[in-house]
Amino acid sequence: MNQELLDSIRQIIREEISGVKGDVSSLKGDVSSLKNDVSSLKGDVSSLKNDVAEMKPQLEENTQMLRTLLARTDNHGAMLEQLNIRVSRLEGNEKRYKKLNNDFYYHSHKVVVEIKEPVFEIDSNDHSDS
């Protein structure tokens, strides 16, 4: 009976091992596929690193240009504000000029000439008669 028991155990172990062998074989295929995927990902990451390395100087240059443009924009904004103030002053001056010109153009004086008897004042110091 021991032999039969051993044979049965061997048979069970063989069946289990053959299932495990199939699983191991399947796992080997999966691991091989994963290795290929990892290798492909490594290539992609390497390519991305190169792309980023190439883009980095351009990004720095663009950033510097943007900073310069922003500074110039601020400067131009201040200049535009000054121009607006000057234009406002000129517009005010023009309005005053037009008003003065209009007032001058329509300005009139009333000249009144009064005719009266002449009055001669005799100066006490004046002795021209003597």
Side-chain angles (χ1 to χ4, degrees), residues 3-85:
Q3 188 60 35
E4 286 179 15
L5 183 59
L6 284 175
D7 288 340
S8 295
I9 293 174
R10 283 185 187 142
Q11 182 61 31
I12 292 172
I13 292 175
R14 282 186 190 131
E15 288 174 2
E16 290 295 320
I17 288 177
S18 79
V20 169
K21 281 183 179 178
D23 289 344
V24 168
S25 180
S26 174
L27 282 174
K28 282 183 179 180
D30 291 346
V31 167
S32 178
S33 176
L34 283 174
K35 281 183 179 180
N36 290 336
D37 290 346
V38 168
S39 178
S40 175
L41 283 173
K42 282 182 179 180
D44 292 345
V45 168
S46 177
S47 176
L48 283 173
K49 281 182 178 180
N50 289 336
D51 291 346
V52 168
E54 290 174 4
M55 291 168 55
K56 199 170 187 178
Q58 185 65 46
L59 181 62
E60 289 292 329
E61 183 181 341
N62 291 350
T63 301
Q64 188 60 37
M65 287 183 355
L66 282 174
R67 286 183 181 139
T68 301
L69 287 173
L70 285 173
R72 287 183 181 175
T73 299
D74 290 343
N75 188 32
H76 284 126
M79 290 171 63
L80 281 174
E81 187 62 32
Q82 289 176 356
L83 267 168
N84 284 336
I85 290 169

